[in-house]
Amino acid sequence: MLCTLVTNVSAQITEVEKHPQKDTVRVRLLNQLSRSFFPKDAAKTAQYAHEALKLSDSLHFKTGIMWATRNLALAENIKGNLEKQMDLTVSALKLADELDDNYAVGVLNTDMGNILVEQDQPRQALRYQKKALRIKQALKQPAEIARTLNSIGSSYIRLNKPDSALHFLLESERIKLSLNDHAGLAITYENIGLVYTLKQQYSLALPYFEISEQYYKESDNINGLVKAHLNMGFTKTMLRKYEEAEQHLAEAAQLNSHLKNMKNTLIYHKNMATLDSARGNYSAALANYKQFSRMNEQMFSVEKTKFIANTKEKYESEKKQHENKLLRKEQQLHLATIKQQRILVIFCTMLLLGLFIITAVLYLMYRRQQELYSQLNHRNTQVQQQNKIIMEQNAALESGSQVKDKIFSVISHDLRSPLAILEGLLFLLRDDKMSEEQFRIFSHELWRDMKNTAYMMDNLLQWASSQMKGIHVTPDDFDISTILKSEFELLQSLAKQKEITLTHELQRPIMVYADPDMIRLVLRNLISNAIKFTPINGSVNINYLLLPDKIELIVQDNGLGIAATDQAKVFSNIYYSTNGTRNEKGCGLGLPLSKDFIERNNGRIWFHSAAGKGTSFHFTLPLSSEEENLGRGYTIIVKDNQESVVSN
């Protein structure tokens, strides 16, 4: 058998030498040769795998890269470098998935399971092994199925489930016997022997270890022979065949001296400690057990160092691969840019030629189109003018409609009420149903309502005029105190009706530059509003601040005040209005109209109010030139009917 294996390896070497061409055929031959040296020679396995990997990489032959990577992983297995074997197997498995190669996926999943068994992770191993079994059964590959069944048996041995392990191992034995696979049977018989050892049936385990030793020798599997002698040494110790046990362990140590497999050495010292203890040589047993413990710790340290080194190597490799990918992408981008530039130059040349022809044609068409454009522009201008006139007319109609609706609304709701009251009183007086004394009692309230109605009519007429015809401001120099006093006298009677104290602080002439009629209406609106919303025994006061270039007039009351939620509506175009303290009505036009009049006269109007505490309306007007020259450099503040001069 050994002679046959040597002949096969020699034939494969000859075949590789006869095919020097750097192609995929040579890659396959190199990978087959690499696999032939497993598990006998780790160096040769790695040598041919490296050569296959280098050639596959240059040919971008992914299948060759996958099998070469797997062979490198097997070489690490011979050396006992399980972490590195795991990294290489994972890389090969990724390529197999990418290539959708089910056969390779099955083989590599079995390899992953075997590694995890060696790392004492049998539960994780079973996940890979059972996946591999399903794939191989679907592909109907007896040899690979037997190999995977054996691997599953190993996992169940590690899980201390001997009956489950024996089930899979006996099925593996049946297939391998039908294939006459002695190399594979060596591993299966070793595992069956381990099952009986686990069950402490050493007499049943020994024959399986002996036949596995015979088959390992046939296939020149030195590592297998070492394990067989170690197993037989332990088993014969348990059967009290101490001399034979010592011979087997010595043979294992001698064979392992060439392999230098630390794990085998570790098991040797453990088994020797067991043998010495069984023979009563406790000092030797202690020495061997100490050696076992020391090597166990050393092996853990070595594995840890290997793991760190492998992790670093993996990081550097991935980093280099990433850099290479970036360089390739950059090169491809550069080549694509050059190609695009060439295409762009050709395109631009053709485009310039086309543009020249088009320009010549367009120039001929241009002269013709100029005349058409001129005619169209003239027509467009006429249409735009007509559209503008129509839009202005529509706006005027809409504005007129809004004015009409507002006038009808005020007349129908706000003016009819006092007229209806007057009509009722006159009816009662005419038919002698009301005495003159009773009429006098109601006449004061009727007079107040009629006065409010008159003010409302003034606001309505002014607003309608501004909306329909527009407002023409006619500014002039006039004394603001004179207008205030004339309006004050008219409003004083209205205040007395509600027992409200109405006072003002403007006791001297102050000349302003504005439209007197507009300002008269503003004062009337603000004062009448203050009276309207001030309860009985309240007060309304008008004072002022004289600034260098303007006067600020303040109409202040201690009435109902304006709620915070309603303050935004006061000057808005929604014409907000509420009833006064004696149910006085309004049309909501006074304050928006006042704001418009003040702003048209270059002033500003605002207010401060708090619900239940009262309101103060402020507005400014520009001083006349004469008054401004007199007041430049100081400010007059009026408080409690006293003027205070503040220097500017």
Side-chain angles (χ1 to χ4, degrees):
M1 184 76 175
L2 180 59
C3 183
T4 304
L5 289 171
V6 172
T7 303
N8 288 339
V9 170
S10 299
Q12 287 177 347
I13 292 172
T14 303
E15 198 170 354
V16 169
E17 290 172 349
K18 288 181 178 179
H19 193 91
Q21 293 91 339
K22 305 293 184 182
D23 56 12
T24 58
V25 175
R26 182 174 176 83
V27 170
R28 289 193 179 93
L29 292 172
L30 287 167
N31 274 324
Q32 289 171 5
L33 184 57
S34 172
R35 183 69 179 84
S36 298
F37 279 102
F38 176 78
K40 298 181 291 298
D41 192 330
K44 290 289 184 181
T45 302
Q47 175 189 336
Y48 292 111
H50 276 300
E51 188 178 344
L53 181 62
K54 185 177 179 182
L55 180 55
S56 297
D57 194 47
S58 66
L59 296 171
H60 304 291
F61 182 37
K62 288 188 177 181
T63 301
I65 294 171
M66 176 186 68
W67 289 116
T69 305
R70 192 251 179 163
N71 288 337
L72 288 171
L74 294 176
E76 295 300 329
N77 174 269
I78 300 170
K79 300 174 190 175
N81 297 332
L82 297 178
E83 289 293 338
K84 199 160 186 180
Q85 183 190 4
M86 174 71 81
D87 289 342
L88 291 166
T89 305
V90 168
S91 298
L93 186 55
K94 285 180 181 178
L95 282 171
D97 286 330
E98 186 180 332
L99 293 167
D100 198 20
D101 187 337
N102 283 337
Y103 171 73
V105 170
V107 170
L108 292 165
N109 270 282
T110 301
D111 288 353
M112 287 291 293
N114 291 337
I115 296 166
L116 289 166
V117 169
E118 291 294 319
Q119 291 180 331
D120 203 20
Q121 299 181 60
R123 292 192 184 279
Q124 293 183 31
L126 280 170
R127 182 161 54 89
Y128 288 97
Q129 291 161 344
K130 290 186 177 180
K131 180 180 179 181
L133 182 61
R134 288 193 298 271
I135 293 170
K136 292 174 181 180
Q137 286 173 338
L139 295 174
K140 298 180 180 179
Q141 299 170 324
E144 286 297 328
I145 291 170
R147 179 169 172 257
T148 304
L149 289 168
N150 184 83
S151 182
I152 293 171
S154 299
S155 294
Y156 280 117
I157 290 171
R158 294 297 179 103
L159 288 169
N160 199 22
K161 294 183 178 181
D163 292 332
S164 297
L166 194 59
H167 168 76
F168 287 99
L169 292 171
L170 291 175
E171 182 62 21
S172 176
E173 178 197 22
R174 184 185 65 77
I175 296 171
K176 289 178 180 178
L177 284 171
S178 67
L179 297 172
N180 198 28
D181 180 11
H182 286 193
L185 282 167
I187 301 169
T188 301
Y189 287 142
E190 178 189 345
N191 283 332
I192 293 173
L194 291 173
V195 168
Y196 285 119
T197 300
L198 192 62
K199 297 174 79 170
Q200 296 184 356
Q201 296 175 352
Y202 303 111
S203 58
L204 293 176
L206 185 59
Y208 285 103
F209 288 140
E210 288 173 343
I211 195 168
S212 72
E213 184 261 343
Q214 178 186 337
Y215 287 158
Y216 277 135
K217 188 179 292 184
E218 282 184 12
S219 57
D220 197 24
N221 188 335
I222 306 300
N223 191 51
L225 277 172
V226 173
K227 291 192 292 180
H229 284 295
L230 288 171
N231 289 329
M232 286 190 290
F234 176 77
T235 305
K236 288 186 177 181
T237 298
M238 294 296 102
L239 293 172
R240 299 182 180 181
K241 297 178 180 181
Y242 300 135
E243 290 184 4
E244 293 180 22
E246 186 175 10
Q247 290 174 3
H248 284 297
L249 292 175
E251 182 68 18
Q254 194 274 328
L255 290 170
N256 196 53
S257 63
H258 301 290
L259 291 177
K260 297 180 180 178
N261 188 309
M262 183 177 283
K263 189 173 181 181
N264 290 339
T265 306
L266 191 72
I267 295 170
Y268 166 77
H269 285 292
K270 184 180 179 182
N271 289 353
M272 279 300 299
T274 303
L275 176 61
D276 290 334
S277 178
R279 290 189 298 190
N281 190 355
Y282 298 114
S283 60
L286 181 61
N288 276 301
Y289 191 79
K290 283 183 178 179
Q291 183 67 8
F292 164 75
S293 298
R294 184 185 63 78
M295 289 188 68
N296 197 21
E297 290 177 5
Q298 183 181 355
M299 188 174 180
F300 174 77
S301 177
V302 169
E303 289 297 326
K304 182 179 177 182
T305 304
K306 284 180 181 178
F307 175 76
I308 294 170
N310 288 342
T311 303
K312 184 177 179 181
E313 183 180 347
K314 185 179 179 181
Y315 168 75
E316 293 295 335
S317 175
E318 288 178 355
K319 181 180 176 184
K320 190 172 181 181
Q321 287 176 3
H322 180 65
E323 289 173 352
N324 289 338
K325 284 181 182 178
L326 290 177
L327 286 172
R328 281 197 293 269
K329 285 182 180 178
E330 187 177 349
Q331 185 180 16
Q332 289 171 357
L333 184 62
H334 183 63
L335 291 172
T337 303
I338 293 171
K339 186 177 180 181
Q340 288 175 353
Q341 288 174 347
R342 287 175 181 170
I343 293 170
L344 186 62
V345 169
I346 295 168
F347 175 74
C348 288
T349 304
M350 295 177 67
L351 183 62
L352 287 172
L353 182 62
L355 286 173
F356 177 76
I357 296 169
I358 292 169
T359 303
V361 174
L362 288 175
Y363 179 74
L364 295 174
M365 295 174 64
Y366 174 74
R367 301 292 296 273
R368 174 64 181 162
Q369 288 176 346
Q370 282 297 314
E371 297 177 4
L372 295 173
Y373 286 151
S374 178
Q375 294 173 2
L376 287 172
N377 285 335
H378 180 66
R379 290 177 184 173
N380 285 338
T381 303
Q382 290 178 334
V383 170
Q384 288 174 359
Q385 290 174 349
Q386 291 173 353
N387 286 339
K388 185 177 180 182
I389 292 168
I390 291 169
M391 289 175 68
E392 289 174 352
Q393 290 174 346
N394 286 339
L397 287 171
E398 185 177 353
S399 176
S401 177
Q402 290 176 352
V403 172
K404 178 197 69 176
D405 292 343
K406 185 63 180 178
I407 290 171
F408 284 147
S409 174
V410 171
I411 291 171
S412 63
H413 293 92
D414 300 323
L415 298 184
R416 287 177 63 187
S417 179
L419 291 174
I421 294 170
L422 177 60
E423 181 185 9
L425 289 173
L426 291 174
F427 173 77
L428 294 171
L429 189 63
R430 187 194 67 180
D431 293 347
D432 295 327
K433 293 181 179 180
M434 178 185 287
S435 65
E436 289 185 7
E437 290 182 5
Q438 288 176 321
F439 181 76
R440 285 193 194 97
I441 294 171
F442 289 107
S443 64
H444 294 296
E445 186 174 350
L446 181 62
W447 179 87
R448 186 179 66 251
D449 287 346
M450 294 303 294
K451 199 67 179 175
N452 281 333
T453 303
Y455 289 153
M456 198 185 307
M457 285 296 297
D458 285 345
N459 284 335
L460 182 62
L461 291 172
Q462 287 286 352
W463 176 79
S465 176
S466 70
Q467 297 294 313
M468 299 295 289
K469 299 177 182 179
I471 298 177
H472 300 287
V473 182
T474 309
D476 197 3
D477 292 335
F478 67 92
D479 181 8
I480 186 70
S481 66
T482 302
I483 290 179
L484 175 61
K485 289 171 184 176
S486 65
E487 291 299 317
F488 201 79
E489 291 173 2
L490 293 171
L491 292 163
Q492 189 67 258
S493 59
L494 189 64
K496 287 178 181 178
Q497 289 288 321
K498 294 182 70 174
E499 300 179 22
I500 293 171
T501 304
L502 180 62
T503 58
H504 75 86
E505 315 293 344
L506 196 60
Q507 303 298 332
R508 69 183 188 87
I510 297 176
M511 301 299 291
V512 297
Y513 183 71
D515 187 319
D517 292 330
M518 290 184 174
I519 304 308
R520 187 187 306 277
L521 184 67
V522 171
L523 284 168
R524 187 185 306 160
N525 277 328
L526 294 180
I527 297 169
S528 64
N529 260 15
I531 294 168
K532 177 180 174 183
F533 293 106
T534 301
I536 295 174
N537 297 324
S539 64
V540 177
N541 183 50
I542 300 96
N543 55 25
Y544 71 98
L545 296 175
L546 189 60
L547 303 171
D549 59 346
K550 59 189 174 186
I551 184 172
E552 180 182 333
L553 287 161
I554 305 159
V555 179
Q556 187 168 8
D557 64 66
N558 61 352
L560 300 177
I562 304 170
T565 55
D566 294 330
Q567 291 184 11
K569 304 174 185 176
V570 170
F571 290 129
S572 69
N573 290 327
I574 63 173
Y575 309 120
Y576 166 75
S577 176
T578 57
N579 292 341
T581 57
R582 283 195 175 179
N583 207 30
E584 300 99 321
K585 295 185 180 297
C587 58
L589 299 174
L591 291 176
L593 194 61
S594 298
K595 181 177 185 293
D596 187 30
F597 282 4
I598 291 298
E599 290 177 351
R600 286 176 183 272
N601 284 279
N602 298 316
R604 188 169 71 89
I605 187 168
W606 68 96
F607 68 92
H608 301 291
S609 183
K613 295 184 179 180
T615 305
S616 63
F617 276 88
H618 305 243
F619 70 91
T620 62
L621 290 173
L623 295 173
S624 67
S625 300
E626 180 182 352
E627 188 73 44
E628 188 176 345
N629 290 332
L630 288 172
R632 192 177 301 279
Y634 63 88
T635 299
I636 295 176
I637 302 174
V638 177
K639 187 175 183 182
D640 299 331
N641 208 16
Q642 298 293 323
E643 291 186 352
S644 302
V645 179
V646 180
S647 174
N648 295 319

